[in-house]
Amino acid sequence: MKRMVLLAATWVAAIAWVCLAHGQPAPTSRPATAPAAEPAAISILQRLEQAGKTHPALQAKMTYSVVDPILETTDVRRGEVSFQRGAGEQSDRFRIHFDDRKMEAEAPVVDKIDYAFDGQWLTVVRHSIANMKRYQYAAKGEKVPMSLKGPFPLPFGQPVDEVVALFEPTTAPGTTKGPEGTTYIRLTTRPDARKDLRFRTIEMWVDPKLNLPVQIVAVDDKKKAVTIALQNLQTPDKIADDVFVMPKLPGYSLTEGRGAGGEDMNP
């Protein structure tokens, strides 16, 4: 069975940019040798965990940006995300749609991309080249498990002990300014977890009413920074099933396979 790891968005699990990748199960308990975390940080993580149970679905406008200090580039995409938590044997499902892309000081250009995961198949659609690719992650009736490990591990809805096993949480203010009225938490990857986690730090600004992240800044081992900002965050009970399904589009090429999708996961 393939393991689904959230990149991007979810934040969400998918409140954010979501990525599928091969991963190993996250620790189920906090190591006895792990240093005690500050109570304020634990409280925030507890509220994030509970929010994953309280809100079965999420929808929001999204801005996704990547700053590469080595190449000295800034890449910004705008779109929207939908997420539905699975029930019973149903896997979590998500849909991410990007409308445009903006590089450096250039004006935004139309560059539509869709990512849709229906619980079994991930469909990636690049509209500019009329291309569709599908990757199967589970057979019918088979549930895809989530993991904190992967290219963009997001602890939304995850057990606090699992988060603390991989990250050192703190509420000490960082240098990046977030949305006003939000609660701040910083997660620093523990040294013994760096072999499994690409990102070294994850900063989150959490809406104190919904207890959901509205901005995330993650920095990887090459100092590349990924920022995901959510606007107009909604928490319906149910999202229509067809939102997560991408039918074959007329005139588009289509290929199918199994696996993590590789470079197709990079927007």
Side-chain angles (χ1 to χ4, degrees):
M1 179 187 293
K2 302 297 185 295
R3 179 168 292 274
M4 185 160 94
V5 187
L6 296 177
L7 170 88
T10 68
W11 272 229
V12 144
I15 299 190
W17 175 235
V18 183
C19 180
L20 298 182
H22 296 285
Q24 299 300 318
T28 57
S29 62
R30 181 176 167 186
T33 56
E38 63 177 84
I42 292 297
S43 177
I44 294 171
L45 292 176
Q46 288 172 338
R47 294 197 297 271
L48 285 168
E49 179 181 353
Q50 182 58 41
K53 303 172 184 177
T54 303
H55 305 298
L58 304 166
Q59 289 183 306
K61 298 291 184 181
M62 180 174 67
T63 302
Y64 172 81
S65 63
V66 180
V67 177
D68 190 325
I70 297 176
L71 299 178
E72 298 184 341
T73 59
T74 300
D75 189 354
V76 180
R77 289 185 179 273
R78 296 181 299 182
E80 55 191 17
V81 58
S82 298
F83 171 79
Q84 181 76 55
R85 187 169 297 283
E89 294 302 313
Q90 172 68 59
S91 297
D92 293 357
R93 294 170 292 167
F94 64 81
R95 172 75 172 271
I96 296 172
H97 172 78
F98 288 118
D99 288 307
D100 57 27
R101 183 180 190 181
K102 183 180 185 299
M103 295 290 291
E104 306 306 329
E106 300 176 2
V109 297
V110 175
D111 188 8
K112 294 183 178 182
I113 305 177
D114 279 287
Y115 299 85
F117 182 67
D118 64 5
Q120 293 179 254
W121 290 83
L122 169 70
T123 302
V124 182
V125 184
R126 297 186 180 274
H127 297 272
S128 63
I129 57 174
N131 177 263
M132 300 181 70
K133 293 184 179 179
R134 287 182 177 148
Y135 300 93
Q136 186 176 20
Y137 280 82
K140 187 174 181 179
E142 185 179 39
K143 190 168 184 177
V144 180
M146 294 289 180
S147 170
L148 283 168
K149 298 181 179 182
F152 195 63
L154 297 171
F156 164 76
Q158 299 290 342
V160 173
D161 282 352
E162 293 187 10
V163 178
V164 175
L166 299 175
F167 303 97
E168 179 183 356
T170 179
T171 59
T175 58
T176 303
K177 186 178 180 180
E180 292 187 8
T182 55
T183 301
Y184 174 83
I185 186 170
R186 176 187 178 94
L187 302 175
T188 302
T189 304
R190 296 189 183 278
D192 58 355
R194 290 178 180 174
K195 65 182 184 299
D196 299 313
L197 302 176
R198 168 184 164 192
F199 286 91
R200 294 297 175 254
T201 62
I202 300 175
E203 295 178 281
M204 292 194 293
W205 288 262
V206 180
D207 182 320
K209 294 182 180 179
L210 294 175
N211 290 317
L212 297 173
V214 293
Q215 181 171 299
I216 292 180
V217 177
V219 179
D220 68 11
D221 50 7
K222 295 181 174 58
K223 298 185 177 181
K224 183 184 296 185
V226 175
T227 299
I228 298 170
L230 300 181
Q231 304 88 31
N232 192 29
L233 180 59
Q234 305 292 320
T235 57
D237 290 332
K238 182 75 167 62
I239 298 174
D241 292 339
D242 58 7
V243 169
F244 308 107
V245 178
M246 286 293 298
K248 172 68 168 64
L249 298 175
Y252 281 55
S253 61
L254 173 64
T255 57
E256 295 183 346
R258 297 180 64 89
E263 290 300 315
D264 288 318
M265 291 309 303
N266 296 323

